[in-house]
Structures are given as C-alpha cells and as structure tokens.
Amino acid sequence: MASTLEKFIHSLDLRALPRVLQIQSGIYCQDSVYEMFGNECSLSTEEVIKVIGFKINKLIASICENNEVSQFSDKVELPLNFPGLYKIVADKTPYVSIEDIARKVSIGPTRFGHPCFYSTKDIKLANFTVKHDEQITFNSVEEVHGRMAVKCVVVRNNQSHFFTLPLSQEGEFYECEDDQIYTLKEIAEWKIPKCRNRIVKLSNTLHMRDSSNPLPENFDGCLILMPVYEVQAVMKSRKDIVHILSDLDVEVKDITDCYDTSSFLQPLSLEDIFERTSEEFPMVAEIMEGPSGSQKPYNLLSTGKEIVIYKKYQAARVLASEMRSDPSKRHYLIPMSYKGKFKRRPREFPTAYDLEIARSEKEHLHVVATKAFTSPHKELFSVAVGDQFLVQQCQTSEVLYEGRKKLIDVLACEQILSDSYKKVLLPMYMEGGFVEVIHDKKQYYLSEICQEFHFPFNVKVSVRDLSIEKDVLAAAPGLQFEEEITDSYLLISSASSPVESWEIPVYRLNMLVHLLSKDVQTVVPPVTRTTVEEVSEEEYYMLRRYENPTLHPPPRPPKKPT
C-alpha cells in the first residue's frame, strides 16, 4: 500500500530499519533529478532505495503561550546548531501503552536514551508493585522470554528496583518533569517523540557566531518545535548516502519483505565500527559520507576515499578552555602525546573553601587577598586587600557565638609579614577573593601536570609542539585545564598512501563507511600524528556534563553560622 514519504516516516519503528522502498508517484516523474546538499540523484518512478535511517534535519519554531502557538507568532526555521541551552516542558498528552512509548520515544543505551514516565494507576507485577505517580526510568527495549519488553528501574528510599514491562502493558502514562538542560541538537536527536511536537523553554543563550537570531530580542520564553525529518538512503547506482527531506510530495511503497536487502551497500557509522570485536581489526573501508571540517584529518576524509582502520581503543584527553572573559573563548581536547611545554599561570579563588581544595602536600599555596573580609568572631582573622597568606590545612576551631562556644571549620594559614609569619585562622565559609602567587618557573609536559597537580589548573604554552603544523594552543593567552576525560577513538590512515595515522573521535564525528574485502598491506600503523581537537560550545557543555560521570563537583562551602 502506497503512502506519502512523511506518513511512512511517522508510522515507522526505528527498530525495523533498514527498509526497502519503491518510488510510486509524485512530483518526480521518470528520470527526474533531485538535488540535496549538492548531491544530484535520479528519483525515477519505480526506483528502489534502501532507507537506513532518518533524523530531524531542522526545526520549525513558534512562540508558545499556554501550551499553544501564539496567534502573534511567526514560524521561524532553526538549524540544529542554533545556539542556546533549553529545558524541556513535560508533554501533557498521555501515552496509552508501553508499546506507544517505545514506538515514539527514543530509548537506548546512551545517556540521553533513558526517558522517565509515571503511571496514573498502580502497576502490579509478580514481585513488585509500581505505585501511581512514581517515576519510572526506561533503560532499554529488549526481548525477554520470547516477547519484547522495556527494562525499567524505580528508585525508592534510595534503593533501585529493576523490572521489565511488556510492550502490551496498557495504561495512562505521562512524561515526568526533566530538570536537565540540552542543546537543540540533543533535543532533536533524543527528546522529540515521533508524531509529536516538543515545547522547550530557553534556559541560557549561548554566543551566536556569524549568524542572525530569528527570535525576538531578549526572548526567554517557550517555543513549540515542529520537526522536519531527513531520510538517509542508499541507491544501487551510487556509493554515497542520499538525503531526502520528509516533506517532499512523493509516494512510496514498502517492499522490504519481497526484496533482497543484501544487494545494497551496507553503510556503517563510526559507532558501528567501534562495536566490532578487536579481532576484526585492521580493516579497509570506503567513505560513503565524510565529515565536515577544515582541520586535519577531517579535510582528508572525503567521500569515496579508502582508509585503513587499524584498531579501536580508549584514550585520555585533557579538556581545556581559553582564559578569556568574552563569550568567544575556545575549548580544546588535548592528547597526552602533545609535545609542547607549559608554564603555570596564577589561579583565582573566590572562597577560603576553594583554597582548601587547591592546596597540595608538594608545595605551600601562596595567595594574595583581592577582597576584604571582616570576621564576626574575634578568634578568627579579618582580611584586608593585599594581605598575603601561605595556606596550611583545614581544622576545627571554637568560636564564641551568642555567649556559647561552637565548633566550626576553619583554614589554618600563615600571614606573610615584612619580616615574619603570623599564624591565623580563616573561616571556611569566608567569601573573599584570592590570587595565587607563582614561584615555580619550571616548564611542564602535559603528563607531568596531570600527575602532580589538581584541576582546574592555569597554564600558558611556553614551548609549542613542533610536530603540529599549526599549534592552536600556542596562540592562546592562557589555558585552564578543567578535567581529564577518557574517550573512544579509532586509529586510521589513508589506504593509498599510509605515511601517517590519525586518531578520530567515535562520538563527535559524523561519518559513514562501508567495508571492503581487501587485505591490509601493513598491520603496523604508521606514525600517529598529534591532533589538538577544538570542540564547539555545545560539545564542551556535553563533555562537562556527561563524559566523566564519576567526577562529582565539590560540595558547597560551609554556610556562615547563623
């Protein structure tokens, strides 16, 4: 049965991909030419294509008032890289079954793929009862005892209860409130249910580079986002990926059940390659769709080029940001193989508690006060601008408060006087301001800094990496090393001229390849080139939030006694 391309997408379950479609009719007649992103292809009547995926290509946004489109709002088109951070407004329309949720909502192994819902009625299971209005986290869709089910978890009294709900489970399910913030791209990929729009509230406007803002000036309200999908398909006559927008007036027919899908090329993402076993490497692949970007090696990964993929692995990187106050500061991922050297730069500390976090056994932390503080207790020290201290250790001290003695946390320091030192105690809750005094003139490699110091840590490149054609770090006025992360990489080289190899990130590079049945000429990869990866502001926020979930922020400083 024929249907429009848009209806086909709305009815399609992502788990059923790939699907083979035959073009039935529409504005594209025999031998018509369709152009998208500079690619021309023929969409002839009875043409057969294999749909390998679809994603949201752009969003049509309208200003929202009372969960409806404002009558004064014009529709504006927002690209997925439109700057800003957004909070999701919970959908008020219920889902009628677990299958209804599984078909429309993205559920998967990644951090974004764990949506939360609640049921309006108790759900009685064999050994557990899910209470009404209790938050249920959906983790994955799997086959359990011969039938499809969703693996879920409920946290009750700080204890996790795991269970499965069959797709046939009916009820009235509502989306839970979500206090996370997302980029527009993350929302498009994970947080817009099929056949539904999504209401979001602007949480924070990011700096807009070389683009005009279609939203009203100083807008901070809610938007209704309506998705326009893009179909990714393979054609027998081509070796690249064809992109077709869902709103084209084309009728299609699903002929998957009576067609041999293996007759098409099999596109693989970098995530697909990474999931292969280590024994399958090295392998030769041809690029079907290359990444965008002008820096190496991305500018070498063009469509049609053959590459050797030697191995997969996890590698450490240091996430660094330029020390600038303006919104255009840049962010980098620096590999441990970086051969440049760094000199220390002074750190700034807003509270006494930050001094305690930063101090080390290796050296005394020497700071200068940039803000005055008057102590409410005579037992503790009052700070004047310009006072200098050597930070010693955290301890407790008795103070007199309303005629009663009370123990509070303090920071023991030595005040540096003109010809002597004076032992003083600073309250840990003190909100002041301190700048570090650097006595260390040594030049450090990146690995030495990671071993010897706590992050965040301020530096400037003193000797650039001569193995890099253009060392972008050397031009930075200063860098703050924020945290060390571990990420997934593939090691690749050109198949035709393997004189050097490159590490490419698995989860930040959009690229499709198909494997070739060719032998790898040399199993040992050539010399690996060091690449400092610049990450966008959206990628930076994602890395800080998700790449290292074991790294928790320090607790808040102790409050001033009341």
Side-chain angles (χ1 to χ4, degrees), residues 321-391:
S321 296
E322 287 183 329
M323 291 171 58
R324 302 169 59 153
S325 57
D326 60 275
S328 62
K329 69 178 180 180
R330 299 157 79 180
H331 312 283
Y332 304 98
L333 283 175
I334 311 173
M336 293 301 170
S337 59
Y338 180 80
K339 299 178 182 64
K341 289 186 176 182
F342 302 92
K343 277 190 174 181
R344 295 172 62 174
R345 289 283 304 272
R347 292 171 286 179
E348 295 183 4
F349 307 98
T351 68
Y353 186 76
D354 293 293
L355 296 177
E356 160 62 16
I357 295 172
R359 73 179 182 88
S360 70
E361 301 298 329
K362 181 186 174 185
E363 62 177 358
H364 284 307
L365 179 59
H366 180 188
V367 296
V368 177
T370 58
K371 186 178 177 182
F373 169 78
T374 302
S375 172
H377 310 289
K378 65 178 183 179
E379 300 90 345
L380 305 181
F381 190 70
S382 293
V383 176
V385 174
D387 284 350
Q388 297 191 45
F389 303 94
L390 292 177
V391 179

Side-chain angles (χ1 to χ4, degrees), residues 432-549:
F434 302 91
V435 173
E436 183 179 22
V437 179
I438 301 292
H439 301 283
D440 183 4
K441 305 301 181 184
K442 181 181 174 182
Q443 298 181 100
Y444 293 90
Y445 287 109
L446 183 62
S447 57
E448 293 175 324
I449 292 175
C450 292
Q451 290 171 4
E452 297 181 25
F453 300 101
H454 297 296
F455 288 177
F457 195 74
N458 297 349
V459 297
K460 178 174 173 54
V461 174
S462 56
V463 179
R464 75 179 187 89
D465 187 343
L466 297 176
S467 70
I468 301 177
E469 188 175 327
K470 183 182 179 182
D471 188 349
V472 292
L473 300 182
L479 295 167
Q480 182 174 80
F481 292 166
E482 299 184 14
E483 64 181 276
E484 185 178 340
I485 69 169
T486 301
D487 209 357
S488 304
Y489 290 88
L490 296 173
L491 186 65
I492 68 161
S493 74
S494 168
S496 57
S497 54
V499 293
E500 55 190 12
S501 60
W502 304 87
E503 293 178 324
I504 58 173
V506 173
Y507 298 109
R508 286 185 303 281
L509 199 61
N510 291 321
M511 179 170 148
L512 290 173
V513 303
H514 72 94
L515 299 181
L516 303 175
S517 54
K518 288 185 176 181
D519 293 330
V520 178
Q521 299 300 318
T522 172
V523 180
V524 180
V527 60
T528 302
R529 290 294 181 189
T530 298
T531 305
V532 175
E533 181 188 354
E534 182 174 355
V535 295
S536 68
E537 198 161 4
E538 288 83 0
E539 289 170 332
Y540 166 78
Y541 277 101
M542 187 170 70
L543 286 164
R544 289 310 307 268
R545 287 183 297 160
Y546 298 114
E547 283 293 349
N548 200 340

